[in-house]
Structures are given as structure tokens and as C-alpha cells.
Amino acid sequence: MDNGFSRRGLFGAGAAAAAILAGVPATAQAAPRTSGMTLRWWGNNSWEIRIGAKTVLIDPWLTRFKTGTYTPEGADPRTPLSVNRALIDGYLDRGFLRADHILVTHGHYDHLTDVPYLARRTGATVLGTETHLSLMAALGAPEDQLAIATGGEDLAFDGYAIRVLRSLHSATGDRAQVAYPGTRPLSRRDRPRVIADLLEGGTLAYAVSGGGASVLDFGGSNYVESELAGLRPDVVLLPPGGAKVREYVPRLLRTVGNPRYVAATHWDDFDLPLGQVKDAGGLETLRKAVAAASPGSEFVVLDHLGEFTP
């Protein structure tokens, strides 16, 4: 794969996870640093944003259990939820992964499943909607670490800021429908057991700034244009798709001022484990759409555990 600006992670995509768990020291050619922010991609819409000693995670899902999502039949809604604690512990215990904040864009299994365990292990504050917090509380997340967000919050912390934006989930099929729709009031009861139990529950986007840079992340292939007015991020983390959204790519990039970088997110087949990168089918379409809509933007594609500094 021609990664352009991107790098193949710390050790190369296929060997990255195994090398970290084996305790192999990190050796990589450092790219020229132009800001104090570094982004690392953990697959799907899982992003690590490091700003100095602080770390913000977005939708961290390392477990990546098999669901059949990208098969002709689609995801089996009866797929049991599971968390690969050994895998997560391997990264946490070696200091390769940490978190001060965890940001949840929506409640689906490929965005929320690992968050309760990561919250317990890291002590991070978790932001999400009422539905997201309810699902996480029922899955055992520490309730004193859960902070509700509805969109519109503009929050300042030590060395970084988080702006929460109202957003929209991808809408697919002839009727432009959202998968596993619905909401849920705050409750510890009714523990989710299968992927269909994890409702979308409202979708948020996040703008994170610090270290002289800013990044805007979308967990679904849709957005609320009015929420983006006036934003000028250095990096937009953009998923493929959006076929039912009017001018999905050009309208978004035009609204946010044609950012310097557009990094692909949520494009890999997440039925495969971390470290095995396969295009789920939308990457080249997204690349072409970005090139046509904003030719001055650099299109960034990372392998799992790949990182770059904007």
C-alpha cells in the first residue's frame, strides 16, 4: 500500500501487536515534528491523540471480535460481546497505551465495547451521550468516571481542549437507515449481551486541540454542517461511505476550510485482528473524493499502530 505521508507503525503493520506484547523496544525513523500533537491509529475509528504527557482516546476497540460485518450476509446481531483483556492489558502494562479522556462517538459494538474495561484500567474520564453512558454503566464502567455530553460542550483541560459536536451516524440502504437505532435511559440494569444490544444512541463528533494543532473526528459517515461552521482543524479524520449524504466529502471539507490533512478512518475490515489491515472497500473512493474536493489537502493512510504528527 502506498501510504503517502503515513508510516507503517512502529514495527510494521503485521508485527506491531506481537512485538509490543513481546516487549520489543520501539525503533522507528522519526518524522519531522511540526506540532506537539501525535496521532496513532488503532484500526476502525480507534485513535490515540497524544499532547505532551496527556492522551485522549477516541472509540478505542482493540478486541475486534468477528461479526461478519463485511460479508454479504452482514453482521450477525446475535454475536456475543467480548473483551480481550489479555490483549488490552499487554499494551497498558507496558505503558504503550494510556488515557486521560476517552471519547465515544456512538454506541455501536465497534466503538464502545472495550471502553468500560479501558476506563477501569486507566481511570480516564469518558464522554458520551446518555445512552452511551447507560450502556457502559451496565457493562461495568466506573460511574464516577462517566461524563454526559449532548453536543455544544467546549471543555478545557491541562494542555488540551475538547469540543463536542452534535453529529449523525451513517445512513445506508435504499431507505438511508441507521443500524441498531434507538436510545436508552440511564440504567445499570439489562446488561448488553450481543452486538444488537449496543444501540447507536445518538452520534457525536469531537474536535481535540492542543500542542499547536487540532483534529476533528467523525465516527460515522455523516455530520451536521451547522455544527462545523467556523472550525478550521489541521486534521480531519474522515470515514468512507456517505453515499446517501448530499455532497458528503466536498461539502464537509469546504465547510471546515479544506484542512491540511485528511486522514482516513473506519476503512479497515475489523473482523480481522489488530495488526492485520485490509481495506473493507471504500478507501480508494474516499481518496479520489478528497483529491477532487480539496486537492491541497494531504490524504493520510496509516497502518495499525501507525502514527504521524500534523
PDB file of all heavy atoms in Angstrom, residues 116-134:
ATOM      1  N   PRO A 116     -15.609   0.372  28.670  1.00  0.00           N
ATOM      2  CA  PRO A 116     -15.735   0.188  30.120  1.00  0.00           C
ATOM      3  C   PRO A 116     -14.488  -0.411  30.765  1.00  0.00           C
ATOM      4  O   PRO A 116     -14.056   0.043  31.833  1.00  0.00           O
ATOM      5  CB  PRO A 116     -16.948  -0.740  30.252  1.00  0.00           C
ATOM      6  CG  PRO A 116     -17.776  -0.426  29.044  1.00  0.00           C
ATOM      7  CD  PRO A 116     -16.772  -0.204  27.946  1.00  0.00           C
ATOM      8  N   TYR A 117     -13.896  -1.419  30.115  1.00  0.00           N
ATOM      9  CA  TYR A 117     -12.692  -2.030  30.686  1.00  0.00           C
ATOM     10  C   TYR A 117     -11.514  -1.058  30.657  1.00  0.00           C
ATOM     11  O   TYR A 117     -10.762  -0.934  31.642  1.00  0.00           O
ATOM     12  CB  TYR A 117     -12.342  -3.311  29.932  1.00  0.00           C
ATOM     13  CG  TYR A 117     -11.157  -4.044  30.551  1.00  0.00           C
ATOM     14  CD1 TYR A 117     -11.272  -4.640  31.804  1.00  0.00           C
ATOM     15  CD2 TYR A 117      -9.930  -4.109  29.895  1.00  0.00           C
ATOM     16  CE1 TYR A 117     -10.193  -5.294  32.386  1.00  0.00           C
ATOM     17  CE2 TYR A 117      -8.851  -4.764  30.465  1.00  0.00           C
ATOM     18  CZ  TYR A 117      -8.987  -5.358  31.706  1.00  0.00           C
ATOM     19  OH  TYR A 117      -7.910  -5.989  32.286  1.00  0.00           O
ATOM     20  N   LEU A 118     -11.344  -0.355  29.551  1.00  0.00           N
ATOM     21  CA  LEU A 118     -10.270   0.638  29.466  1.00  0.00           C
ATOM     22  C   LEU A 118     -10.456   1.750  30.491  1.00  0.00           C
ATOM     23  O   LEU A 118      -9.479   2.237  31.058  1.00  0.00           O
ATOM     24  CB  LEU A 118     -10.213   1.219  28.056  1.00  0.00           C
ATOM     25  CG  LEU A 118      -9.465   0.373  27.028  1.00  0.00           C
ATOM     26  CD1 LEU A 118      -9.830   0.799  25.608  1.00  0.00           C
ATOM     27  CD2 LEU A 118      -7.957   0.487  27.235  1.00  0.00           C
ATOM     28  N   ALA A 119     -11.686   2.143  30.733  1.00  0.00           N
ATOM     29  CA  ALA A 119     -11.940   3.175  31.736  1.00  0.00           C
ATOM     30  C   ALA A 119     -11.517   2.687  33.123  1.00  0.00           C
ATOM     31  O   ALA A 119     -10.861   3.426  33.880  1.00  0.00           O
ATOM     32  CB  ALA A 119     -13.422   3.560  31.736  1.00  0.00           C
ATOM     33  N   ARG A 120     -11.870   1.451  33.451  1.00  0.00           N
ATOM     34  CA  ARG A 120     -11.479   0.908  34.756  1.00  0.00           C
ATOM     35  C   ARG A 120      -9.964   0.833  34.899  1.00  0.00           C
ATOM     36  O   ARG A 120      -9.404   1.160  35.949  1.00  0.00           O
ATOM     37  CB  ARG A 120     -12.085  -0.489  34.953  1.00  0.00           C
ATOM     38  CG  ARG A 120     -13.571  -0.496  35.169  1.00  0.00           C
ATOM     39  CD  ARG A 120     -14.044  -1.761  35.875  1.00  0.00           C
ATOM     40  NE  ARG A 120     -13.633  -2.986  35.202  1.00  0.00           N
ATOM     41  CZ  ARG A 120     -14.326  -3.575  34.223  1.00  0.00           C
ATOM     42  NH1 ARG A 120     -15.443  -3.019  33.785  1.00  0.00           N
ATOM     43  NH2 ARG A 120     -13.905  -4.699  33.692  1.00  0.00           N
ATOM     44  N   ARG A 121      -9.293   0.391  33.854  1.00  0.00           N
ATOM     45  CA  ARG A 121      -7.841   0.214  33.927  1.00  0.00           C
ATOM     46  C   ARG A 121      -7.074   1.538  33.939  1.00  0.00           C
ATOM     47  O   ARG A 121      -6.007   1.628  34.553  1.00  0.00           O
ATOM     48  CB  ARG A 121      -7.350  -0.631  32.745  1.00  0.00           C
ATOM     49  CG  ARG A 121      -7.537  -2.129  32.883  1.00  0.00           C
ATOM     50  CD  ARG A 121      -6.729  -2.756  34.034  1.00  0.00           C
ATOM     51  NE  ARG A 121      -5.403  -2.198  34.177  1.00  0.00           N
ATOM     52  CZ  ARG A 121      -4.288  -2.673  33.609  1.00  0.00           C
ATOM     53  NH1 ARG A 121      -4.372  -3.727  32.809  1.00  0.00           N
ATOM     54  NH2 ARG A 121      -3.122  -2.108  33.809  1.00  0.00           N
ATOM     55  N   THR A 122      -7.572   2.543  33.257  1.00  0.00           N
ATOM     56  CA  THR A 122      -6.811   3.790  33.109  1.00  0.00           C
ATOM     57  C   THR A 122      -7.262   4.906  34.037  1.00  0.00           C
ATOM     58  O   THR A 122      -6.518   5.853  34.258  1.00  0.00           O
ATOM     59  CB  THR A 122      -6.915   4.311  31.662  1.00  0.00           C
ATOM     60  OG1 THR A 122      -8.289   4.646  31.382  1.00  0.00           O
ATOM     61  CG2 THR A 122      -6.417   3.277  30.664  1.00  0.00           C
ATOM     62  N   GLY A 123      -8.505   4.830  34.541  1.00  0.00           N
ATOM     63  CA  GLY A 123      -9.049   5.933  35.324  1.00  0.00           C
ATOM     64  C   GLY A 123      -9.485   7.111  34.485  1.00  0.00           C
ATOM     65  O   GLY A 123      -9.774   8.199  35.015  1.00  0.00           O
ATOM     66  N   ALA A 124      -9.571   6.941  33.166  1.00  0.00           N
ATOM     67  CA  ALA A 124      -9.899   8.043  32.266  1.00  0.00           C
ATOM     68  C   ALA A 124     -11.331   8.513  32.455  1.00  0.00           C
ATOM     69  O   ALA A 124     -12.231   7.741  32.822  1.00  0.00           O
ATOM     70  CB  ALA A 124      -9.706   7.603  30.810  1.00  0.00           C
ATOM     71  N   THR A 125     -11.557   9.785  32.182  1.00  0.00           N
ATOM     72  CA  THR A 125     -12.900  10.331  32.082  1.00  0.00           C
ATOM     73  C   THR A 125     -13.473   9.964  30.721  1.00  0.00           C
ATOM     74  O   THR A 125     -12.794  10.094  29.700  1.00  0.00           O
ATOM     75  CB  THR A 125     -12.885  11.858  32.240  1.00  0.00           C
ATOM     76  OG1 THR A 125     -12.335  12.187  33.517  1.00  0.00           O
ATOM     77  CG2 THR A 125     -14.279  12.442  32.110  1.00  0.00           C
ATOM     78  N   VAL A 126     -14.729   9.503  30.702  1.00  0.00           N
ATOM     79  CA  VAL A 126     -15.367   9.067  29.465  1.00  0.00           C
ATOM     80  C   VAL A 126     -16.508  10.016  29.125  1.00  0.00           C
ATOM     81  O   VAL A 126     -17.386  10.268  29.947  1.00  0.00           O
ATOM     82  CB  VAL A 126     -15.910   7.632  29.587  1.00  0.00           C
ATOM     83  CG1 VAL A 126     -16.511   7.182  28.259  1.00  0.00           C
ATOM     84  CG2 VAL A 126     -14.806   6.673  30.028  1.00  0.00           C
ATOM     85  N   LEU A 127     -16.506  10.526  27.900  1.00  0.00           N
ATOM     86  CA  LEU A 127     -17.580  11.390  27.416  1.00  0.00           C
ATOM     87  C   LEU A 127     -18.479  10.624  26.456  1.00  0.00           C
ATOM     88  O   LEU A 127     -17.986   9.892  25.591  1.00  0.00           O
ATOM     89  CB  LEU A 127     -17.016  12.605  26.675  1.00  0.00           C
ATOM     90  CG  LEU A 127     -16.350  13.716  27.496  1.00  0.00           C
ATOM     91  CD1 LEU A 127     -15.861  14.817  26.571  1.00  0.00           C
ATOM     92  CD2 LEU A 127     -17.316  14.294  28.518  1.00  0.00           C
ATOM     93  N   GLY A 128     -19.795  10.816  26.595  1.00  0.00           N
ATOM     94  CA  GLY A 128     -20.748  10.200  25.684  1.00  0.00           C
ATOM     95  C   GLY A 128     -22.153  10.660  26.014  1.00  0.00           C
ATOM     96  O   GLY A 128     -22.377  11.365  27.007  1.00  0.00           O
ATOM     97  N   THR A 129     -23.097  10.253  25.193  1.00  0.00           N
ATOM     98  CA  THR A 129     -24.491  10.624  25.427  1.00  0.00           C
ATOM     99  C   THR A 129     -25.077   9.804  26.575  1.00  0.00           C
ATOM    100  O   THR A 129     -24.458   8.870  27.082  1.00  0.00           O
ATOM    101  CB  THR A 129     -25.349  10.379  24.177  1.00  0.00           C
ATOM    102  OG1 THR A 129     -25.455   8.959  23.948  1.00  0.00           O
ATOM    103  CG2 THR A 129     -24.748  11.050  22.943  1.00  0.00           C
ATOM    104  N   GLU A 130     -26.317  10.138  26.938  1.00  0.00           N
ATOM    105  CA  GLU A 130     -26.995   9.387  27.994  1.00  0.00           C
ATOM    106  C   GLU A 130     -27.067   7.901  27.658  1.00  0.00           C
ATOM    107  O   GLU A 130     -26.820   7.048  28.516  1.00  0.00           O
ATOM    108  CB  GLU A 130     -28.404   9.939  28.206  1.00  0.00           C
ATOM    109  CG  GLU A 130     -29.176   9.211  29.305  1.00  0.00           C
ATOM    110  CD  GLU A 130     -30.565   9.775  29.526  1.00  0.00           C
ATOM    111  OE1 GLU A 130     -31.038  10.548  28.664  1.00  0.00           O
ATOM    112  OE2 GLU A 130     -31.181   9.438  30.550  1.00  0.00           O
ATOM    113  N   THR A 131     -27.391   7.580  26.424  1.00  0.00           N
ATOM    114  CA  THR A 131     -27.444   6.173  26.019  1.00  0.00           C
ATOM    115  C   THR A 131     -26.085   5.506  26.150  1.00  0.00           C
ATOM    116  O   THR A 131     -25.966   4.395  26.678  1.00  0.00           O
ATOM    117  CB  THR A 131     -27.939   6.045  24.567  1.00  0.00           C
ATOM    118  OG1 THR A 131     -29.284   6.512  24.485  1.00  0.00           O
ATOM    119  CG2 THR A 131     -27.879   4.602  24.088  1.00  0.00           C
ATOM    120  N   HIS A 132     -25.031   6.177  25.677  1.00  0.00           N
ATOM    121  CA  HIS A 132     -23.688   5.595  25.761  1.00  0.00           C
ATOM    122  C   HIS A 132     -23.303   5.320  27.208  1.00  0.00           C
ATOM    123  O   HIS A 132     -22.757   4.257  27.530  1.00  0.00           O
ATOM    124  CB  HIS A 132     -22.654   6.534  25.131  1.00  0.00           C
ATOM    125  CG  HIS A 132     -22.997   6.983  23.755  1.00  0.00           C
ATOM    126  ND1 HIS A 132     -22.467   8.129  23.195  1.00  0.00           N
ATOM    127  CD2 HIS A 132     -23.818   6.452  22.806  1.00  0.00           C
ATOM    128  CE1 HIS A 132     -22.952   8.285  21.982  1.00  0.00           C
ATOM    129  NE2 HIS A 132     -23.773   7.287  21.727  1.00  0.00           N
ATOM    130  N   LEU A 133     -23.579   6.288  28.082  1.00  0.00           N
ATOM    131  CA  LEU A 133     -23.218   6.114  29.492  1.00  0.00           C
ATOM    132  C   LEU A 133     -24.030   4.996  30.128  1.00  0.00           C
ATOM    133  O   LEU A 133     -23.512   4.241  30.958  1.00  0.00           O
ATOM    134  CB  LEU A 133     -23.425   7.419  30.252  1.00  0.00           C
ATOM    135  CG  LEU A 133     -22.651   8.654  29.773  1.00  0.00           C
ATOM    136  CD1 LEU A 133     -22.708   9.757  30.834  1.00  0.00           C
ATOM    137  CD2 LEU A 133     -21.212   8.333  29.412  1.00  0.00           C
ATOM    138  N   SER A 134     -25.291   4.878  29.752  1.00  0.00           N
ATOM    139  CA  SER A 134     -26.120   3.803  30.284  1.00  0.00           C
ATOM    140  C   SER A 134     -25.581   2.437  29.872  1.00  0.00           C
ATOM    141  O   SER A 134     -25.474   1.516  30.692  1.00  0.00           O
ATOM    142  CB  SER A 134     -27.561   3.965  29.788  1.00  0.00           C
ATOM    143  OG  SER A 134     -28.373   2.908  30.248  1.00  0.00           O
TER     144      SER A 134
END
